[in-house]
């Protein structure tokens, strides 16, 4: 019998090849039908860019899952795949028709309920943090839906610089994939690694392609948000894990999920809070996201990508260091929150002053 590690590597290759094969036909369709993102004062491109990258990535994910033999018996993956399809459809329609924010928000809530019901998972395992072991069904349901909508929008809003959203998705899928793999959750590990593989061809074209560049679009970013939200649900559901070879009793699951998604989640919270403080809609468009400020500080798109993903990796590293030092679960969570808050709020100004000195 083939070892699980080889199965995961094969799935990564299959999803990469599938995405690469369908990428160019999708690109041609987007150009012929004029499904493009036009330049504006908030955007970096100088000419229209096709928007159907999420469709190519979704195709790669579906083909990869078809080769994963336990998919047929995995209700969790079917429910998650259905939610991904809905968000891909809604996001693509938004790219084309500009759907009202309230309608998208309502659909996101309904999709969150679908994932919670279909996977039978709730964010209820607090591991004793704040004196709470497990939340009741109603508060856990509310928390799960709020968290899922927040994660979906955080991934959507990070998609503002070439390669940033796809590069972050590759990093986050690697983190979740390793977590699930080491704890023998092979269905979710397969979803993570397949998503990683499907994103690699898109990342290459999106960042380095001149004639082959395509954007994820709202469809692709919302779809990937569902993937990460479903993974967080599974981690924080707190039952069914085979903990070998690691003992999770001293490892904060909440801090882990938050650390992997730390930069986009905290940046989204900061931006939406500032908009509401200024009397504006939290969903209104502006140039106050972290990637905008890093670009304004003088970084290139590649530099912005490396800084944001590097910052997120630092947060994950801080969590692992805290766990090795046997810091309490509550302290692990607080440490992740503090370091991410400092990064999101202070990093742009620090880089701007340093780059100014070098000039």
């Amino acid at each position: 019998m083939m070892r699980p590690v080889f199965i995961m590597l094969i799935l990564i290759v299959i999803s990469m090849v599938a995405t690469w094969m369908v990428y160019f036909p999708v690109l041609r369709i987007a150009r012929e039908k004029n499904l493009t993102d036009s330049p504006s004062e908030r955007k970096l491109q100088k000419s229209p860019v096709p928007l159907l990258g999420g469709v190519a990535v979704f195709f790669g994910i579906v083909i990869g899952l078809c080769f994963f033999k336990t998919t047929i018996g995995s209700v969790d993956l079917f429910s998650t795949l259905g939610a991904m399809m809905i968000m891909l459809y809604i996001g693509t329609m938004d790219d084309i028709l500009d759907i009202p924010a309230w309608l998208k928000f309502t659909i996101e809530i309904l999709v969150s309920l679908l994932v919670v019901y279909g996977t039978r998972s709730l964010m209820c395992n607090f591991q004793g943090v704040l004196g709470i072991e497990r939340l009741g069904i109603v508060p856990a349901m509310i928390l799960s839906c709020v968290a899922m909508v927040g994660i979906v929008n955080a991934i959507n809003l990070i998609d503002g610089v070439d390669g940033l959203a796809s590069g972050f998705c590759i990093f986050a899928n690697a983190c979740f994939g390793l977590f699930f793999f080491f704890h023998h959750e092979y269905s979710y590990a397969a979803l993570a690694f397949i998503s990683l593989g499907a994103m690699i061809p898109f990342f290459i074209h999106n960042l380095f392609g001149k004639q082959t560049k395509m954007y994820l679009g709202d469809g692709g970013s919302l779809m990937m948000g569902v993937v990460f939200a479903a993974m967080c649900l599974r981690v924080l559901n707190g039952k069914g894990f085979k903990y070998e070879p690691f003992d999770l009793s001293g490892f904060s699951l909440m801090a882990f999920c938050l650390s992997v998604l730390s930069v986009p989640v905290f940046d989204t919270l900061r931006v939406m809070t500032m908009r509401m403080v200024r009397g504006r809609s939290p969903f209104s468009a502006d140039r106050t996201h972290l990637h905008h400020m890093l670009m304004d500080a003088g970084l290139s798109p590649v530099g912005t990508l490396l800084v944001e993903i590097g910052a997120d990796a630092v947060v994950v590293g801080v969590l692992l260091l805290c766990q090795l030092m046997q810091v309490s679960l509550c302290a692990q969570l607080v440490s992740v929150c503090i370091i991410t808050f400092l990064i999101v709020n202070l990093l742009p100004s620090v880089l701007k002053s340093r780059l100014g000195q070098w000039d």
Side-chain angles (χ1 to χ4, degrees):
M1 182 177 179
M2 189 177 296
R3 292 184 178 180
V5 64
F6 294 123
I7 294 176
M8 296 303 161
L9 291 174
I10 291 172
L11 291 175
I12 291 174
V13 173
I14 289 173
S15 59
M16 285 177 58
V17 172
T19 300
W20 197 281
M21 290 178 61
V22 79
Y23 187 91
F24 296 100
V26 171
L27 177 64
R28 183 173 64 252
I29 292 172
R31 286 174 174 169
E32 291 177 353
K33 301 301 181 181
N34 196 31
L35 304 176
T36 59
D37 184 38
S38 301
S40 70
E41 60 180 13
R42 293 183 55 254
K43 300 172 183 176
L44 300 176
Q45 77 265 27
K46 305 300 181 182
S47 59
V49 178
L51 277 170
L52 296 184
V55 174
V57 173
F58 182 72
F59 179 84
I61 292 174
V62 170
I63 295 300
L65 289 176
C66 287
F67 278 86
F68 183 51
K69 65 179 182 179
T70 63
T71 302
I72 296 177
S74 175
V75 177
D76 290 4
L77 290 189
F78 270 125
S79 301
T80 301
L81 188 62
M84 291 166 60
M85 188 183 303
I86 293 172
M87 294 314 301
L88 176 66
Y89 178 84
I90 296 301
T92 303
M93 291 299 99
D94 184 41
D95 289 329
I96 299 172
L97 303 175
D98 195 17
I99 296 176
W102 67 266
L103 180 56
K104 278 202 305 181
F105 186 72
T106 302
I107 294 173
E108 288 169 5
I109 294 175
L110 295 176
V111 168
S112 299
L113 292 172
L114 170 64
V115 174
V116 168
Y117 176 78
T119 62
R120 300 294 194 272
S121 295
L122 289 171
M123 293 182 179
C124 57
N125 184 16
F126 273 50
Q127 297 176 287
V129 175
L130 303 178
I132 303 172
E133 285 294 338
R134 295 184 69 86
L135 285 178
I137 293 179
V138 174
M141 178 75 74
I142 295 173
L143 174 63
S144 300
C145 291
V146 171
M148 285 196 65
V149 171
I151 291 170
V152 167
N153 282 283
I155 302 303
N156 182 33
L157 294 175
I158 200 177
D159 189 18
V161 177
D162 290 346
L164 180 56
S166 52
F168 175 81
C169 288
I170 291 172
F171 169 78
N173 274 310
C175 292
F176 281 115
L178 290 172
F179 177 89
F180 287 122
F181 182 82
F182 286 132
H183 295 96
H184 311 293
E185 278 289 314
Y186 294 131
S187 292
Y188 281 90
L191 176 61
F193 288 127
I194 288 169
S195 299
L196 182 157
M199 193 63 71
I200 290 175
F202 172 83
F203 172 78
I204 294 172
H205 286 291
N206 181 244
L207 188 59
F208 302 109
K210 294 182 179 180
Q211 302 300 322
T212 61
K213 184 188 296 292
M214 191 158 49
Y215 288 164
L216 272 177
D218 282 351
S221 58
L222 292 174
M223 173 191 71
M224 291 309 303
V226 169
V227 172
F228 296 133
M231 291 178 183
C232 289
L233 272 178
R234 182 69 187 105
V235 172
L236 295 174
N237 194 47
K239 62 180 180 180
F241 277 124
K242 298 177 181 177
Y243 291 154
E244 301 85 359
F246 302 114
D247 179 12
L248 294 183
S249 60
F251 186 72
S252 174
L253 299 177
M254 293 177 61
F256 170 72
C257 291
L258 188 58
S259 67
V260 175
L261 304 174
S262 56
V263 171
V265 167
F266 272 75
D267 186 45
T268 299
L269 289 174
R270 178 187 60 82
V271 169
M272 289 190 169
T273 300
M274 293 304 298
R275 288 170 181 169
M276 289 187 290
V277 168
R278 294 168 183 167
R280 299 172 52 197
S281 168
F283 301 104
S284 60
D286 55 28
R287 285 184 55 84
T288 58
H289 283 285
L290 180 60
H291 55 265
H292 290 135
M293 294 191 292
L294 291 176
M295 294 288 290
D296 292 341
L299 291 181
S300 65
V302 174
T304 300
L305 161 69
L306 294 175
V307 167
E308 288 213 25
I309 296 179
D312 212 279
V314 167
V315 179
V316 174
V318 168
L319 173 63
L320 295 177
L321 181 61
C322 289
Q323 199 275 333
L324 289 174
M325 296 173 62
Q326 298 182 341
V327 174
S328 69
L329 300 182
C330 185
Q332 291 179 36
L333 182 60
V334 171
S335 298
V336 167
C337 292
I338 290 176
I339 189 67
T340 309
F341 178 84
L342 293 175
I343 287 173
V344 169
N345 287 277
L346 299 181
L347 185 60
S349 58
V350 171
L351 283 175
K352 188 172 184 179
S353 64
R354 292 295 182 183
L355 291 173
Q357 291 177 3
W358 294 335
D359 291 339

